């Protein structure tokens, strides 16, 4: 809109009162409907911007949260770094809420008002536009008719004056020309008088039509003003509604009034201020520096117990946690009894070192044809050893003893036997300190089993 329009000056294209110039006001009704669509589209695009920003914040937070967790930063500063990412997630939620307001609540409100204010016709256009058009046309029709009469009378009057002027010119030329007869001069003088009379007659008609038009002008202005005011009232409703919507949009977009927005940055600031450099340095000292505990080497006396080889059962990862085997099964005499608890305990750091030492001794080297033949004992096949009087190791010879299972047992590892209550097997090694024996099933399978799950046949 030009500054001339804002100042109340005459708009280009003629005055409102001229015939047909009311159509600018009628067109404003259609423009109001289009402006509603434009307003919806405008803030739908803003809603997409809010959504994209929220998604980018979330993706940024997810990416850097992983990087920070896997990175070298530690302590309270790591918490502060994470606080930025948490703040981004909260800010993402706030902008998603803004997006939902813009694309949902606000857009729906505009559409509802638009539907109520503008009613489409089956033949096209809007009911409000047709009513305004019909009102202006009805108010302007009589005035336009009178205006046409004025224009016609004006045109006739001006034509008559022109004829009169031409007649006077001819008369004057004839008077100056001696060759013109008196009869011709008389006719020219009569022509002048006739043109003068016709001009006066047209003037009277022109003045009469103009007077009638001027008498009708107040009525015309009143009727046009009435229709115009109806359009103004409708436009006032649209302007008020748009202002209300702008205030709503401002409220939804203005995060400076949001308590959650302020709380987000307030909490972030507090976490940053809580970062303690000395606390972080102290943590590093105690976790990775001189403050760490240390099992310093101490003198240990040699004993047979400390040299005992550690079996695979003791070195298994499952031994880090106690494994308790429990079940209640019927014995062979039909009496229900509870299975004894069988727990495999942890072994000490020193026992593990001894085991590693003896593992190195279990791989004897045989020289065959100048080549070394290295054979490794598996933990299951490693024979029990003891020291003789000369300090040399020798296998503990255990004769096969028939035993019978008192309870069902299902092996927990690949090197353990599984059997049912009443099943017989051969015990081929003595019970170790953990309560396990090596045995062989009738199928030939060799493995470990809890010693207190069986009894000697004949006992």
């Amino acid at each position: 809109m030009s500054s001339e329009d804002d100042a109340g000056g005459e708009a280009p294209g003629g005055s409102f009162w001229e015939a047909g110039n009311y159509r600018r006001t009628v067109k404003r009704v259609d423009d109001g409907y289009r402006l509603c669509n434009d307003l919806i589209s405008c803030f739908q695009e803003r809603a997409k911007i809010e959504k994209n920003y929220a998604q980018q914040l979330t993706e940024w937070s997810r990416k850097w949260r992983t990087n920070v967790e896997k990175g070298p930063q530690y302590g309270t500063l790591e918490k502060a770094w994470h606080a930025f990412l948490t703040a981004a997630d909260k800010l993402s939620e706030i902008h998603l809420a803004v997006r939902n307001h813009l694309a949902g609540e606000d857009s729906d409100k505009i559409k509802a008002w638009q539907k109520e204010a503008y009613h489409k016709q089956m033949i096209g256009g809007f009911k409000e536009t047709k009513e305004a058009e019909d009102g202006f046309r009805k108010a302007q029709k009589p005035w336009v008719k009178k205006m046409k009469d004025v224009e016609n009378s004006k045109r006739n009057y001006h034509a008559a004056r022109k004829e009169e002027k031409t007649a006077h010119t001819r008369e004057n030329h004839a008077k100056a020309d001696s060759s013109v007869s008196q009869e011709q001069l008389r006719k020219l003088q009569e022509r002048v008088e006739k043109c003068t009379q016709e001009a006066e007659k047209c003037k009277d008609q022109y003045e009469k039509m103009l007077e009638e038009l001027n008498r009708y002008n107040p009525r015309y202005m009143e009727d046009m003003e009435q229709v115009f005011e109806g359009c103004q009232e409708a436009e006032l409703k649209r302007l008020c509604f748009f202002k209300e919507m702008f205030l709503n949009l401002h409220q939804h977009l203005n995060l400076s009034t949001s308590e959650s927005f302020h709380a987000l940055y307030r909490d972030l600031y507090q976490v940053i201020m809580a970062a303690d450099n000395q606390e972080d340095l102290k943590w590093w000292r105690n976790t990775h520096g001189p403050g760490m505990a240390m099992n310093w080497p101490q003198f240990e006396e040699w004993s047979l117990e400390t040299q005992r080889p550690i079996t695979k059962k003791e070195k298994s990862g499952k031994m880090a946690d106690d494994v308790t085997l429990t079940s209640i099964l019927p014995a062979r005499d039909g009496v229900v009894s509870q299975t004894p608890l069988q727990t495999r305990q942890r072994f000490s750091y020193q026992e593990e070192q001894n085991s590693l030492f003896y593992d190195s001794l279990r791989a004897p080297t045989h020289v065959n044809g100048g080549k070394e033949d290295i054979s490794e004992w598996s933990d299951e096949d490693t024979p029990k050893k003891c020291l003789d009087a000369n300090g040399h190791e020798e296998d503990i010879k255990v004769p096969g003893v028939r035993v019978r299972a008192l309870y069902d047992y299902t092996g927990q590892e690949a090197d353990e036997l599984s059997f049912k209550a009443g099943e017989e097997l051969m015990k081929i090694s003595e019970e170790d300190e953990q309560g396990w024996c090596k045995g062989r099933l009738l199928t030939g399978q060799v493995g470990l089993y809890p010693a207190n799950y069986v009894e000697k046949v004949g006992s």
Side-chain angles (χ1 to χ4, degrees):
M1 185 177 292
S2 67
S3 58
E4 185 179 14
D5 294 335
D6 293 338
E10 184 175 338
S15 171
F16 164 76
W17 303 105
E18 295 179 13
N21 282 353
Y22 63 82
R23 290 189 176 89
R24 291 196 295 262
T25 301
V26 174
K27 183 177 178 296
R28 188 177 62 172
V29 179
D30 295 334
D31 291 342
Y33 182 86
R34 192 193 72 183
L35 287 171
C36 289
N37 291 335
D38 290 345
L39 185 62
I40 294 173
S41 298
C42 176
F43 287 94
Q44 286 281 5
E45 289 186 12
R46 178 59 187 267
K48 290 181 180 179
I49 294 174
E50 296 290 336
K51 180 180 178 180
N52 292 336
Y53 181 52
Q55 290 176 341
Q56 290 175 353
L57 283 173
T58 301
E59 292 171 0
W60 174 80
S61 172
R62 185 185 304 113
K63 170 188 173 183
W64 281 101
R65 190 180 302 279
T66 302
N67 290 349
V68 172
E69 289 174 352
K70 295 181 179 180
Q73 184 57 60
Y74 58 92
T76 56
L77 270 183
E78 182 183 3
K79 293 181 180 178
W81 200 333
H82 276 289
F84 276 98
L85 308 178
T86 302
D89 291 334
K90 293 180 180 179
L91 186 59
S92 173
E93 295 176 359
I94 292 175
H95 282 279
L96 277 179
V98 172
R99 179 262 173 195
N100 293 335
H101 282 303
L102 297 179
E105 173 185 338
D106 294 335
S107 295
D108 292 343
K109 191 173 182 180
I110 298 173
K111 290 177 182 178
W113 185 89
Q114 182 187 41
K115 185 177 181 180
E116 182 180 349
Y118 302 94
H119 302 85
K120 291 185 177 181
Q121 300 183 115
M122 295 185 64
I123 59 176
F126 299 102
K127 175 184 176 183
E128 291 72 21
T129 304
K130 187 175 186 304
E131 289 177 350
E133 176 75 28
D134 292 345
F136 281 121
R137 185 184 294 113
K138 182 179 180 181
Q140 200 173 66
K141 185 176 180 179
W143 184 86
V144 169
K145 185 176 182 300
K146 294 181 181 298
M147 185 64 184
K148 287 181 179 180
D149 293 340
V150 169
E151 291 293 334
N152 290 334
S153 62
K154 175 184 175 181
R155 188 165 45 251
N156 293 336
Y157 170 66
H158 287 177
R161 285 301 183 187
K162 184 178 180 180
E163 286 293 327
E164 181 185 16
K165 178 66 175 175
T166 302
H168 274 293
T169 302
R170 288 176 179 176
E171 179 188 11
N172 292 333
H173 287 167
K175 288 179 179 180
D177 189 355
S178 57
S179 62
V180 177
S181 64
Q182 291 297 323
E183 182 64 24
Q184 291 175 333
L185 182 60
R186 186 181 61 78
K187 289 182 178 180
L188 288 173
Q189 289 175 346
E190 290 178 355
R191 176 66 179 166
V192 170
E193 291 178 1
K194 185 177 180 181
C195 287
T196 301
Q197 292 175 0
E198 185 67 24
E200 290 298 326
K201 182 180 177 181
C202 289
K203 180 181 178 181
D204 292 341
Q205 183 67 20
Y206 177 33
E207 289 177 345
K208 181 181 178 181
M209 293 296 102
L210 190 60
E211 184 181 356
E212 288 185 6
L213 179 67
N214 289 333
R215 283 201 306 267
Y216 188 76
N217 278 345
R219 170 71 183 274
Y220 166 64
M221 295 175 67
E222 181 182 353
D223 292 345
M224 291 290 285
E225 189 80 30
Q226 184 177 358
V227 179
F228 181 78
E229 286 302 321
C231 295
Q232 287 289 84
E233 290 179 6
E235 179 65 5
L236 177 62
K237 292 179 181 179
R238 186 191 72 82
L239 295 175
C240 291
F241 173 73
F242 268 50
K243 182 177 180 180
E244 178 186 351
M245 286 307 306
F246 285 153
L247 289 174
N248 288 344
L249 294 166
H250 171 268
Q251 179 183 358
H252 294 151
L253 291 171
N254 184 16
L255 299 183
S256 63
T257 60
S258 172
E259 177 58 29
S260 58
F261 181 79
H262 286 291
L264 180 156
Y265 286 103
R266 184 170 58 246
D267 295 344
L268 175 59
Y269 176 78
Q270 292 175 355
V271 174
I272 295 172
M273 294 303 297
D276 190 333
N277 301 337
Q278 295 301 321
E279 183 68 22
D280 290 350
L281 294 175
K282 180 180 178 182
W283 177 86
W284 186 270
R285 163 180 281 273
N286 294 335
T287 307
H288 301 290
M292 294 179 66
M294 174 62 182
N295 185 17
W296 299 102
Q298 296 181 0
F299 177 80
E300 297 183 13
E301 186 61 61
W302 180 92
S303 67
L304 176 62
E305 181 63 23
T306 60
Q307 301 305 313
R308 182 183 64 81
I310 306 299
T311 66
K312 179 181 178 180
K313 306 304 295 183
E314 295 169 299
K315 291 187 291 184
S316 171
K318 288 189 176 181
M319 292 187 59
D321 298 323
D322 293 346
V323 179
T324 303
L325 308 176
T326 60
S327 62
I328 301 177
L329 302 170
R332 64 182 183 274
D333 55 1
V335 180
V336 178
S337 60
Q338 183 174 345
T339 308
L341 299 180
Q342 182 63 33
T343 305
R344 298 165 69 176
Q345 304 291 340
R346 301 179 182 179
F347 55 91
S348 67
Y349 171 82
Q350 183 60 42
E351 290 175 332
E352 182 177 8
Q353 296 301 315
N354 294 336
S355 175
L356 294 176
F357 169 75
Y358 275 97
D359 284 345
S360 66
L361 299 179
R362 293 197 189 108
T365 302
H366 303 280
V367 179
N368 295 322
K371 297 182 180 179
E372 292 185 348
D373 181 14
I374 301 176
S375 61
E376 296 183 356
W377 291 91
S378 66
D379 287 334
E380 292 84 0
D381 298 336
T382 302
K384 300 278 290 184
K385 296 178 180 294
C386 65
L387 297 179
D388 60 10
N390 297 324
H392 297 92
E393 291 184 348
E394 63 178 7
D395 295 342
I396 299 177
K397 306 298 182 180
V398 180
V401 178
R402 288 178 60 195
V403 293
R404 181 182 295 110
L406 297 173
Y407 320 99
D408 288 353
Y409 179 71
T410 302
Q412 303 298 313
E413 296 184 14
D415 59 351
E416 295 180 6
L417 297 177
S418 298
F419 45 76
K420 299 291 185 180
E423 186 177 346
E424 293 187 359
L425 60 152
M426 295 296 293
K427 172 183 175 183
I428 58 176
S429 75
E430 293 295 340
E431 179 182 351
D432 61 15
E433 290 79 359
Q434 303 299 325
W436 293 84
C437 290
K438 182 181 290 185
R440 181 172 59 248
L441 299 176
L442 297 180
T443 60
Q445 181 184 355
V446 177
L448 299 174
Y449 65 89
N452 55 355
Y453 270 56
V454 301
E455 66 175 356
K456 187 178 179 181
V457 175
S459 61

